[in-house]
Structure formats: C-alpha cells, structure tokens
Amino acid sequence: MSKPLSDHDKKKQISVRGLAGVENVSDLKQNFNRHLHFTLVKDRNVATKRDYYFALANTVRDHLVGRWIRTQQHYYEKDPKRVYYISLEFYMGRTLQNTMVNLALENACDEAMYQLGLDMEELEDMEEDAGLGNGGLGRLAACFLDSMASLGLAAYGYGIRYEFGIFNQKIVNGWQVEEADDWLRYGNPWEKARPEYMRPVHFYGRTEHHPDGVKWVDTQVVLALPYDTPVPGYRNNVVNTMRLWSAKAPCEFNLKDFNVGGYIQAVLDRNLAENISRVLYPNDNFFEGKELRLKQEYFVVSATLQDIIRRFKVSKFGSREIARTDFTKLPDKVAIQLNDTHPAMAIPELMRVLVDEEKLGWEMAWDICVRTCAYTNHTVLPEALERWPVDLFAHLLPRHLEIVYEINRRHLERVAAKYPGDIGRLSRMSLIEEGGQKRINMAHLCIVGSHAVNGVAQIHSDILKATIFKDFYEMEPHKFQNKTNGITPRRWLVMCNPGLAEVIAERIGEDYIRDLDQLQSLRNFVNDDAFIRDIAKVKQENKLKFAVHLEEHYKVKINPNSMFDIQVKRIHEYKRQLLNCLHIITYYNRIKKEPNKQWTPRTIMIGGKAAPGYHTAKMIIRLITAIGEVVNNDPVVGDRLKVIFLENYRVTLAEKAIPAADLSEQISTAGTEASGTGNMKFMLNGALTIGTMDGANVEMAEEAGEDNLFIFGMRVDDVDELDRKGYCAEEYYNRLPELKQAIDQIAGGFFSPKQPDLFKEIVNMLMHHDRFKVFADYEDYMKCQEKVNALYKNPKEWTKKVIYNIAGCGKFSSDRTIAQYAREIWGMEPTLEKLPAPDDNDFAAVVIFVKHSALHN
C-alpha cells in the first residue's frame, strides 16, 4: 500500500493555489532570510515561530507594494469616480493566507517554507485575527473590500483602528468570560502608518453666527492618524486601501490651559483624547447611547471627509496644487456608502464643510450631499436603531445639531406640502423624536440625506418599505432598493476549503472563482457518481480535520461519522439558539426512551459571543454548556449525540468549522434576520440548510430549489397573524408533551442539579414574554429535523442535494452584490481587466516615488 500523501504534498497538487516555479521559490527563500536578518534582527539559532511568521508576512507584503503604488498611481492618472465605504467595523480576520491566494503565491510560499524546514500552517497560526467587528455587518464590509478590489473599482474602506477588537471569549465553569483582545501586542506587519495625512477632528465648543457665515469655536481637537492596509484583488494586480484612523492627542493638549504645575497630569490626560480609538463596542444589533460611541462615529466621519475632499481637490497623481474647486462635480467623482447609521454624521458633516467652510448656498450643498451619499440598513429590530439624545448632541457637536434642525425644518416643509394637514405623518417622519427626552432618529437622517436606501435581502427590503420606512417609501419610492448580501468566494471557498475548490475546478475550470455564476454548470454532474464520491470525500476529510482540532481543544471524543450540525453566529434571542436547545433536549429524551433504536448520530455545535451586558444571551450560553455536561456524560447516549459549545467563535474559527459542517442552522423568527451571510458560507461549502423563510434563506431556496433546503416554520405573514391574535406560549406547552418535558427539565434543574433554579429566568421568558415565539415553531422544527435524519441515512441522496446547493451559490458572491451597488447606486462600472503586473525586481515604482514629491493616496 502506497504511503498517503502528506498535507504538504497534497497542497502542492492543488492548481488553484498557484504554481511553485523554481525562481519564484528561491526568491522567496532569499527574501525570507533577508527579512529575518534585517527586519527582525534574528538568525536561525534564536528565531521563534513568531519571528518566522513575521519574516514570511513581510516577504509576502513585498509582493503587494509595487502593485499598491501602481494602483494608486493609476487612479490619479485616470481620475475615476471613487467609492468610499465608511463603516465602524471591518471584521478582517487573518491576512497572510488571503494575500497569498489573491497573489497566486500559496504553493510557492509553501514550497519555500518546506525547503527551509518550516511548516506554513504553523506559521499562519501565529497571526492574530484583526477582530475589528462584531459579526455580519463587519464581516460584510471585509468581503466587500475584497470584491471591490477584484472588480477593479477605485474603492477605499474607511474605519477606526481599534486598539482592542472584539473581546476574546473564554468559557469558565460554563459561563462566558471576556478578555481584552490585545491584537496589536506584537505589531501588525500589514499596516503602514501615514502620519503625513494626520487630520484634526473637533469636539464640544459653541457656534457663532456672523453675517458671513457660522463659526464653530472653542473646540477640543483630537488628531486622527491614518494607518493603511493593502486590499489585493484576485489576481488582477489591483491593490486598494483600507484606511483606519487612530486617535492622537495634539502636542499642546491640556498644556495651554495655564494650569500651574499640572504638567504631569496634562500629559497623563492625553489618554482621554486617545481613548476614542481604544476599543470596539461589542454590541450586535443593539444601540447603547454612550458619549464615547458618538465620539467614535463623528471621529471616523470627520477625518474621512477631510480626506475625501483633499483627494477630490487634487486631481492628478503626486500634484500638490489644488486643481478642483467646483463642488457641483463632487457627486460625479465621489460616492459615499454608509454601512448602517453608524456613519450617519457624514451627512451633517458634509453639509457643514460645504456651507460653513466652502461657502456654498444651502440648496446647492444639499443637492450635492444627497447625490453623493447612500445608506444601507441592516436591521429592523427597534432596539438596534440609533436614536441619539439631543442634549448629548448639543454638548458634543453643537454646530451639527443646528444643521440637523435645519435639515429637519426643510424636510418637514416638503412633507407638509405633499400631505397637507397630515399631522401624524409629520411627527412620524420627523428626524427629531419628541417625548421624554428629545432624540435624533439617525435612520431618518440617513434616508432624507441619501439618494439611495437599501436593505440587504429581498424580504428585508420589502419589510422596510412596508413597515419602519413606509412613510418615506410613499414619499420617495425611487430611493428604495434591494442589494442582497454576498460573501467573497476567495476567503470562503478557495482559502478555507481548497479540497472542494479543486474538485470543482477539475470539472468546470477555475474561472468560477471570479464569476461564481459558473457554478450553475455543476448541475450537469448531479448524477455523476465520481463527482458525488469526490464531494462526499472532501467533506469527510474536512470533518476529520476539524474533529482532530476539537479533540485537541475540548477533550471530547468526536464521532466523525456523525452529522455535524452547526449553529454559529452572535448569541441573540432573535437568532433562537434556544430553539436549537429544545431540539437537543428532545432528541436526547427520545434516545433515552428507546436506546436500542437506530438513531442518526449527531454532533451538535453551537458557537458565538454574547454582548457583555446582554444578560439573557449569557444565560443562553450557560444553558448550552449545561446541556452539554449532561448529554456528553450519559453512557446510554454514547457517541450518538454530543453537544459542544465552540469557544471564541471568530473569522478564523469559522474558516475551520464551516467546511466541516453537514447541517447549517438558520432558524431566526421570520422577519428578524435582515439577511445573514453565514448561511451563504455553509451553502458554498457543502452543508445543507435547515431554516425559516427569513433573510437570504428565501433567495437560497429560490436558487437551489426549495426541495433542496429543509424549510420549516412560520412565514412573515404567519408571524404577523400570530401578533394580531396574540402569542400564547402556554397553549403550545400544554399541547406538546415533548416540549413540556423539555421545559420542565430546564425549569426543574435536570441540567443544573446543583442550582435547580439557575434557568428560571429563561423559562419565564419563554413562557410569558418571548418576542421571538420559540414555541410556535417547535413542532414544525422537530418534524423537519426528522426529515434531516432520514436523508442523512442516504449519503448519495444527501450529496445530490449538496451539489444542487453549491450549484445555486452564484448569486451569493459579494462580486455580484458589489457589481449591483456599483451600477445601481454609485454610477460606476466594474471591470475584470487586469492592471499590468509590476516587475517585482524593477525599480520603476521607486523612480515614480522619487519623481513626485509625495504619494497622494
């Protein structure tokens, strides 16, 4: 019997990973050794694994630099319209492997490391995740950056360089414990500080009204220091920029305040200014009206708009002369996309710059603002909508409050003219909510100040128009669009699942990586036994690899032949991890009742972080871990059911878990999950979905065929009907014996014998004030799970459904999403043309650098 291929040899065979040419490999080894010596100041005797990671990262980064400079130079010469994607979150994960994939360097680097006696996977594991996001919204921004670069758009991601990203989650005695994510501790090889583009940002102060305009005076200044990270497109030599701002106190901070002898304290107080970029707020779908958060929102917006306007004014590459002063051309050269309402301050800030600083008239400035800005809504949950107290606004941003009031005055005039006498409509559509304390509704500000408003899946966009934005839709229907979310197939297939990417490429070539619609042609192989075998084999390999990872981390023996049933996402009541728990308990009870029946074995994994202040979410985690303690230690059940809570779910863990999944749980109450993107990742990686008709699940069922998903539960209309009638949980509890048994076990301490009433709040919520109607979908969910079990016993039929799912994934590429944003909102045309490749050893780029006094990127 021949020796099985090592991981290294397997990787070498994979064509989608690029070719390992001899010169290429020897260059990489030479540059690696050069960086180890000159950049890290180490030799092979004292270098650590982290040193080797940094040497490799710097070597790969070298391949980006020429392309990066060339790309920015190309934009200055061609002067295209540019798009600015402003987001408080960019959930990037790791960068090394993604860069190698997009530059086709993976095999060459792997071979070079192998020849140097190093294991590339071990080095990749040294990289910290850039965890500058909470979940879907932040990860979407990251996928969008990849697609914008791959489609050759002149695009810039703008955000905050948080010193501490999303907390690391530890599970201690079954409870979530948060620890700070000090991701920059060892330095970040992918970023370049750009102190020459530092910008002042103003806070507090007061306004003075003069005949020649308004002045905002006596402000406190914080400096915004930009850090640039390269964003490579897929094998097209385009490298765009993500620019993240860090807060710096000015040198004179607190010192001018003639506080005698207070010098030491003044220097220590610099921290107060620099706290603005210290930490990411860890809330997902929840608004917390804190002053520091409003500061963060204005900080990113103010610094970014200064950058946008500077870049608009200088038209040609490297030129310092101000070339453009006609702001009526701004919407022809600039598109600003607001990722949710978090950067909504861009609207009053752009108005302030145009009116107060550039001295344009209000009407002209407003027309420019509306034609430049567009707004993406990400949720309909009322607790997630940003509504800032007017008094906080008046204190922190007094000029912006005046501008918002003026925007509102003119907006309400238009409403009154169109709907005379409709007082109810005026109050519903106002940007200012009257009541206890007056608040500014940021979503209303975004709609009024933008030319396009979009939801992120068809059902979500329809709900916006029918419910929370109904009045606005009736008044300006032309503004409302849909842009169904997508995911980048580079990270979420080629990088995380090379085995599957290769099996697909063997059948249809590798162009699908740029044009995911080509996956449709896999339908021709749905009855091809060899293809069915290959797909099943890749899944089994991924499961074995993940099982090894789990056994190392959890000391639980995993049955790799069991169904891997996975629900990973932020812990939230609307996502209904509790419904999953009820299925686990019911399945456990059934096995215990008839231990000799042929049960389909399952390993059920649930993972995700709970916001630190969200008590119910933390209790849900404790319930999951408690169920696991009982189920996993019951000898009657054995390896037929295991429950694992996946600790510290993050981008890098998703890349391991998703390729190994058989079943994807997408079980939110219909009408609550705006889109979901995890659902798309599972579908692309060969899992089947059990889910409600919510978010993008609806479109996934459309693309793959509803028979190829396990759809259950109430539709949006059923939920509305139940709301009208009144949801009564007790009715289900009394009618469904298995549900009653499960709830009684949770309530009676079966899963918490040492603290019998540990979960009484959860039970009380489910029985008396469950906004998300878990019990209403329980019965159908259980029936649907039985269908899942039955199909899993027939691997061939299961895999055929998997193939239909993969073949239906084309629509869910973020390339399609971004092409639609570009054409339908930004007025830009995507291109698959390549930029000319720089000769990596040629000094043209350096010559250009010297010829022009500065790189204006």
Side-chain angles (χ1 to χ4, degrees), residues 85 162 177 194 206 266 279 311 405 475 480 511 576 670 730 799 809 819 826 841:
Y85 195 86
Y162 299 106
V177 175
R194 294 273 184 215
R206 56 194 174 80
V279 60
R311 209 178 273 121
Y405 274 138
M475 186 157 153
F480 289 80
D511 278 358
R576 297 203 296 190
E730 273 148 289
T799 305
C809 272
W826 304 331
N841 298 318

Side-chain angles (χ1 to χ4, degrees), residues 720-755:
D720 291 342
E721 182 53 41
L722 190 50
D723 276 326
R724 276 192 294 277
K725 180 185 114 185
Y727 168 64
C728 173
E730 273 148 289
E731 182 194 311
Y732 301 92
Y733 170 84
N734 292 321
R735 184 167 58 77
L736 303 167
E738 287 184 309
L739 173 60
K740 181 177 190 302
Q741 181 187 9
I743 292 298
D744 291 350
Q745 285 169 313
I746 298 170
F750 181 84
F751 297 105
S752 54
K754 289 177 185 158
Q755 294 168 269

Side-chain angles (χ1 to χ4, degrees), residues 3-15 17 107 110-111 114:
K3 172 177 163 289
L5 287 174
S6 72
D7 269 358
H8 173 74
D9 292 324
K10 257 188 223 151
K11 270 195 219 160
K12 275 186 1 190
Q13 296 181 306
I14 290 170
S15 67
R17 289 192 161 200
N107 266 328
D110 191 46
E111 182 60 30
Y114 182 70

Side-chain angles (χ1 to χ4, degrees), residues 632-646:
N632 299 345
N633 294 303
D634 191 322
V636 175
V637 173
D639 68 356
R640 294 179 290 187
L641 181 60
K642 293 287 180 207
V643 178
I644 295 176
F645 186 84
L646 295 174

Side-chain angles (χ1 to χ4, degrees), residues 260-277:
V260 185
Y263 163 70
I264 295 288
Q265 196 52 48
V267 173
L268 298 183
D269 285 347
R270 292 169 60 86
N271 278 320
L272 274 60
E274 295 172 359
N275 277 337
I276 290 175
S277 56

Side-chain angles (χ1 to χ4, degrees), residues 137-153:
L137 173 149
R139 182 56 232 175
L140 186 79
C143 284
F144 279 5
L145 293 182
D146 181 271
S147 287
M148 290 186 292
S150 296
L151 292 174
L153 296 172

